[in-house]
Amino acid sequence: TRTLSLTMRSIVRPWRSRGRVMAAALQLKPRPAPRAQPPAEISMRGSMLTDTFNRKHTYLRMSLTEKCNLRCQYCMPEEGIDLTPKDEILSKDEIVRIARLFVDHGVNKIRLTGGEPTIRPDVLEIVQELGRMPGLETIGMTSNGIGVARKLPALVDAGLNRLNLSLDTLQAHKFTLITRRRGFDKVMATLDLAVELGITPLKVNCVVMRGSNEEELSDFVELVKDRPIDVRFIEFMPFGGNKWKKDVFVPFTEMIEVIEKDHPTLVPISTEPNDTARSYKCEGYKGTVSFITSMSKAFCSSCNRLRITADGNLKVCLFGNTEQNLRDRIREGMTDVELAEVVQAAVLRKKAAHAGMDNLANMENRPMILIGG
């Protein structure tokens, strides 16, 4: 059984396998969970998160759930998804253990995603646990803004200090078309509450799609005139089931050209070395606008991000279709030292760049909702 288990660990599996089918076939019996142990002290300490291109990964995005109360066109297939069984989703203790392992090895920023992370009943407890971790400087969350308002003050008290809200239109009727649900007013109320609570940076994520919302670019810029927020225009990216088409894709250069016609005082501003966004500001405006150019001007060379899916798989690249299952290894009784070795091996296999827009459109990958936004 031990030999078979080790063999399985050496396999880099496409996301569809998820490990459970193979494990069932081999009839592996999980080993008892280990007792609490000190942080992993291994020979590669400090380098566990450094890849062969000397990129140091200090940012971990953790999906808490695959469930969501919206059905955004670019995120979820129209026919919906098959949810992972509840007992195969990471537990709170497993999330905290994985987070602590990464923080012990240099991660200083964690963002909680989904699905919609606030759907998870123990989201506050998870943030409280993260807030007590020495070395973790930033706890962020990406939310659709529908139900987070009532939990937001407590989340901030627990340590949440960054918030991204998804909002792809400023028109209520169009919101319903894009998300296939109602809720525009709730999102706007959440945005105003977050400003009132002083969350900074506070960001609004807008996926720009031709024929849906590209004519609202200048309207979104006006949103930051009196609000200290950053609106981030995101290029439409191909994922499983989102029916990505090149003629729907709006490149950064086109967006900036449209905005500059209405806002001639728009100028670029400096950003941090690992920022994914190209940021701009209009004279006299409280907020900023940014552009996530994953397709037209990729920023892979400075990528410092890793992802954990809700079902416990490590993805070293958002667009990669190979994963390492940490959940099963934890449940089989792996120590933190052994887990660190698995993580390091995966990080060392990270490629220099993603495959490019045209190739990605033809590659198999999870739907975005099963990765974590």
Side-chain angles (χ1 to χ4, degrees), residues 49-51 53-59 61 273-276 298-307 315-319 347 350-354:
L49 302 179
T50 302
D51 66 17
F53 303 96
N54 203 35
R55 292 175 296 199
K56 296 176 175 60
H57 297 80
T58 58
Y59 181 6
R61 300 175 68 99
N274 296 112
D275 279 352
T276 59
F299 36 81
C300 302
S301 62
S302 62
C303 181
N304 69 336
R305 295 155 186 78
L306 301 170
R307 294 171 182 264
K315 286 179 71 75
V316 297
C317 175
L318 171 62
F319 301 104
V347 170
K350 184 169 180 174
K351 297 179 180 179
H354 65 60

XYZ file of all heavy atoms in Angstrom, residues 49-51 53-59 61 273-276 298-307 315-319 347 350-354:
296
model
N 9.292 27.791 -2.441
C 8.395 28.549 -3.307
C 9.133 29.316 -4.400
O 8.574 30.227 -5.000
C 7.559 29.514 -2.454
C 6.716 28.855 -1.353
C 5.960 29.894 -0.561
C 5.772 27.820 -1.930
N 10.364 28.947 -4.675
C 11.136 29.588 -5.744
C 11.276 28.620 -6.909
O 11.695 27.480 -6.731
C 12.535 29.991 -5.248
O 12.399 30.885 -4.132
C 13.323 30.687 -6.351
N 10.934 29.078 -8.115
C 10.974 28.187 -9.276
C 12.299 28.307 -10.020
O 13.212 29.030 -9.601
C 9.774 28.429 -10.198
C 9.780 29.802 -10.858
O 10.834 30.467 -10.886
O 8.718 30.222 -11.364
N 13.000 29.797 -12.608
C 13.223 31.104 -13.215
C 13.416 32.179 -12.152
O 13.302 33.371 -12.416
C 12.044 31.457 -14.135
C 11.811 30.415 -15.204
C 10.868 29.412 -15.015
C 12.567 30.412 -16.368
C 10.660 28.430 -15.982
C 12.366 29.434 -17.338
C 11.416 28.444 -17.144
N 13.692 31.701 -10.920
C 13.965 32.562 -9.760
C 12.779 33.449 -9.391
O 12.946 34.526 -8.821
C 15.207 33.431 -9.991
C 15.821 33.880 -8.666
O 15.804 33.140 -7.683
N 16.353 35.090 -8.641
N 11.564 32.995 -9.718
C 10.374 33.703 -9.268
C 10.024 33.216 -7.867
O 9.820 32.016 -7.658
C 9.204 33.450 -10.225
C 9.397 34.067 -11.601
C 8.291 33.700 -12.562
N 8.258 32.263 -12.844
C 7.651 31.728 -13.900
N 7.025 32.506 -14.774
N 7.663 30.426 -14.090
N 9.943 34.128 -6.925
C 9.617 33.790 -5.543
C 8.123 33.995 -5.335
O 7.613 35.097 -5.497
C 10.445 34.639 -4.587
C 11.947 34.388 -4.689
C 12.744 35.321 -3.787
C 14.220 34.952 -3.820
N 14.806 35.046 -5.177
N 7.447 32.941 -4.946
C 5.992 32.978 -4.844
C 5.580 33.316 -3.412
O 5.694 32.487 -2.505
C 5.402 31.637 -5.293
C 5.689 31.344 -6.728
N 6.903 30.840 -7.161
C 4.928 31.501 -7.839
C 6.871 30.695 -8.472
N 5.684 31.087 -8.910
N 5.092 34.534 -3.239
C 4.728 35.031 -1.915
C 3.232 35.282 -1.776
O 2.778 35.814 -0.767
C 5.471 36.349 -1.632
O 5.144 37.303 -2.659
C 6.981 36.128 -1.612
N 2.467 34.890 -2.774
C 1.038 35.196 -2.837
C 0.286 33.903 -3.118
O 0.515 33.243 -4.131
C 0.818 36.223 -3.948
C -0.597 36.712 -4.169
C -1.661 36.364 -3.340
C -0.872 37.552 -5.252
C -2.937 36.834 -3.578
C -2.146 38.030 -5.506
C -3.184 37.662 -4.664
O -4.449 38.124 -4.904
N -3.546 32.134 -3.431
C -4.986 32.314 -3.586
C -5.666 30.989 -3.242
O -5.360 29.961 -3.848
C -5.323 32.749 -5.010
C -4.653 34.065 -5.402
C -4.897 34.405 -6.860
N -6.287 34.737 -7.115
C -6.760 35.971 -7.213
N -5.955 37.004 -7.061
N -8.043 36.189 -7.464
N 6.405 45.750 -8.035
C 7.074 44.852 -8.990
C 6.242 43.656 -9.439
O 6.311 43.252 -10.592
C 8.325 44.409 -8.218
C 8.596 45.525 -7.268
C 7.251 46.043 -6.863
N 5.453 43.060 -8.526
C 4.699 41.858 -8.872
C 3.230 42.129 -9.206
O 2.436 41.197 -9.319
C 4.776 40.832 -7.742
C 6.179 40.323 -7.509
O 6.797 40.583 -6.488
N 6.706 39.581 -8.476
N 2.862 43.394 -9.357
C 1.473 43.711 -9.686
C 1.099 43.155 -11.058
O 1.894 43.215 -11.998
C 1.259 45.225 -9.683
C 1.065 45.781 -8.288
O 0.947 44.974 -7.351
O 1.045 47.016 -8.141
N -0.101 42.651 -11.147
C -0.595 42.146 -12.430
C -1.195 43.266 -13.269
O -1.485 43.063 -14.445
C -1.678 41.085 -12.204
O -2.755 41.665 -11.457
C -1.119 39.893 -11.443
N 1.061 39.567 -21.448
C 1.174 38.692 -20.274
C 2.292 39.153 -19.348
O 3.283 39.746 -19.780
C 1.409 37.258 -20.717
N 2.114 38.867 -18.054
C 3.082 39.286 -17.042
C 3.675 38.079 -16.315
O 3.993 38.130 -15.130
C 2.405 40.221 -16.030
C 0.965 39.840 -15.728
C 0.644 38.841 -14.833
C -0.071 40.485 -16.385
C -0.665 38.490 -14.575
C -1.398 40.142 -16.137
C -1.693 39.139 -15.222
N 3.820 36.977 -17.053
C 4.282 35.724 -16.457
C 5.667 35.839 -15.817
O 5.964 35.151 -14.839
C 4.300 34.620 -17.517
S 2.697 34.316 -18.299
N 6.544 36.678 -16.367
C 7.919 36.750 -15.890
C 8.017 37.244 -14.455
O 9.007 36.975 -13.769
C 8.751 37.654 -16.794
O 8.249 38.981 -16.772
N 6.989 37.965 -13.990
C 7.010 38.464 -12.610
C 5.946 37.801 -11.741
O 5.649 38.280 -10.642
C 6.799 39.982 -12.601
O 5.531 40.315 -13.149
N 5.381 36.703 -12.211
C 4.307 36.037 -11.463
C 4.807 35.517 -10.122
O 5.811 34.816 -10.048
C 3.734 34.884 -12.282
S 2.385 34.013 -11.444
N 4.094 35.840 -9.066
C 4.442 35.347 -7.725
C 3.263 34.643 -7.064
O 3.173 34.552 -5.853
C 4.912 36.503 -6.845
C 3.786 37.477 -6.490
O 2.791 37.575 -7.210
N 3.952 38.204 -5.397
N 2.339 34.096 -7.890
C 1.083 33.550 -7.388
C 0.987 32.040 -7.541
O 1.414 31.484 -8.551
C -0.089 34.201 -8.135
C -0.220 35.674 -7.872
C -0.925 36.392 -9.000
N -0.916 37.822 -8.772
C 0.135 38.613 -8.995
N 1.264 38.090 -9.466
N 0.077 39.903 -8.743
N 0.394 31.422 -6.536
C 0.026 30.014 -6.569
C -1.430 29.913 -6.142
O -1.950 30.808 -5.472
C 0.914 29.190 -5.629
C 2.419 29.222 -5.908
C 3.184 28.563 -4.762
C 2.743 28.532 -7.228
N -2.085 28.810 -6.503
C -3.508 28.659 -6.203
C -3.799 27.300 -5.584
O -3.226 26.290 -5.997
C -4.353 28.822 -7.478
C -4.304 30.215 -8.071
C -4.975 30.269 -9.432
N -4.871 31.594 -10.009
C -5.802 32.550 -9.933
N -6.943 32.283 -9.324
N -5.615 33.733 -10.474
N -2.430 24.519 -8.020
C -2.191 24.939 -9.397
C -1.092 26.001 -9.366
O -1.257 27.042 -8.733
C -3.453 25.529 -10.032
C -4.514 24.503 -10.392
C -5.754 25.175 -10.987
C -5.524 25.716 -12.362
N -5.476 24.669 -13.413
N 0.004 25.729 -10.044
C 1.086 26.703 -10.049
C 0.873 27.780 -11.106
O 1.533 28.824 -11.081
C 2.460 26.014 -10.259
C 2.768 25.069 -9.103
C 2.512 25.273 -11.590
N -0.045 27.527 -12.046
C -0.388 28.510 -13.066
C -1.892 28.499 -13.274
O -2.500 27.426 -13.376
C 0.330 28.201 -14.388
S -0.140 29.291 -15.758
N -2.478 29.687 -13.339
C -3.918 29.798 -13.549
C -4.360 29.051 -14.796
O -5.426 28.434 -14.834
C -4.292 31.287 -13.671
C -5.716 31.629 -14.092
C -6.730 31.100 -13.082
C -5.865 33.137 -14.263
N -3.525 29.087 -15.839
C -3.902 28.506 -17.120
C -3.351 27.099 -17.327
O -3.590 26.489 -18.363
C -3.418 29.420 -18.261
C -3.991 30.800 -18.180
C -3.213 31.857 -17.731
C -5.309 31.048 -18.528
C -3.736 33.139 -17.645
C -5.842 32.318 -18.437
C -5.055 33.367 -17.995
N 6.317 23.505 -7.898
C 6.776 24.861 -8.215
C 7.947 24.810 -9.196
O 8.038 25.624 -10.118
C 7.165 25.612 -6.927
C 7.880 26.923 -7.253
C 5.928 25.885 -6.074
N 6.967 24.702 -12.807
C 6.217 25.823 -13.377
C 6.940 26.354 -14.612
O 8.150 26.576 -14.601
C 6.060 26.939 -12.343
C 5.216 28.114 -12.822
C 4.870 29.063 -11.680
C 4.019 30.228 -12.153
N 3.558 31.079 -11.040
N 6.183 26.571 -15.676
C 6.769 27.012 -16.939
C 7.052 28.510 -16.930
O 6.525 29.260 -16.098
C 5.843 26.641 -18.095
C 5.649 25.137 -18.242
C 4.703 24.801 -19.378
C 4.516 23.292 -19.507
N 3.576 22.945 -20.604
N 7.847 28.940 -17.882
C 8.221 30.352 -17.957
C 7.021 31.237 -18.260
O 6.941 32.379 -17.799
C 9.294 30.553 -19.020
N 6.063 30.722 -19.032
C 4.907 31.524 -19.435
C 3.755 30.600 -19.820
O 3.955 29.414 -20.075
C 5.266 32.432 -20.611
N 2.548 31.164 -19.845
C 1.419 30.358 -20.301
C 1.485 30.176 -21.817
O 2.319 30.776 -22.503
C 0.083 30.939 -19.839
C -0.287 32.276 -20.407
N -0.435 32.511 -21.758
C -0.593 33.467 -19.809
C -0.815 33.747 -21.974
N -0.902 34.366 -20.808
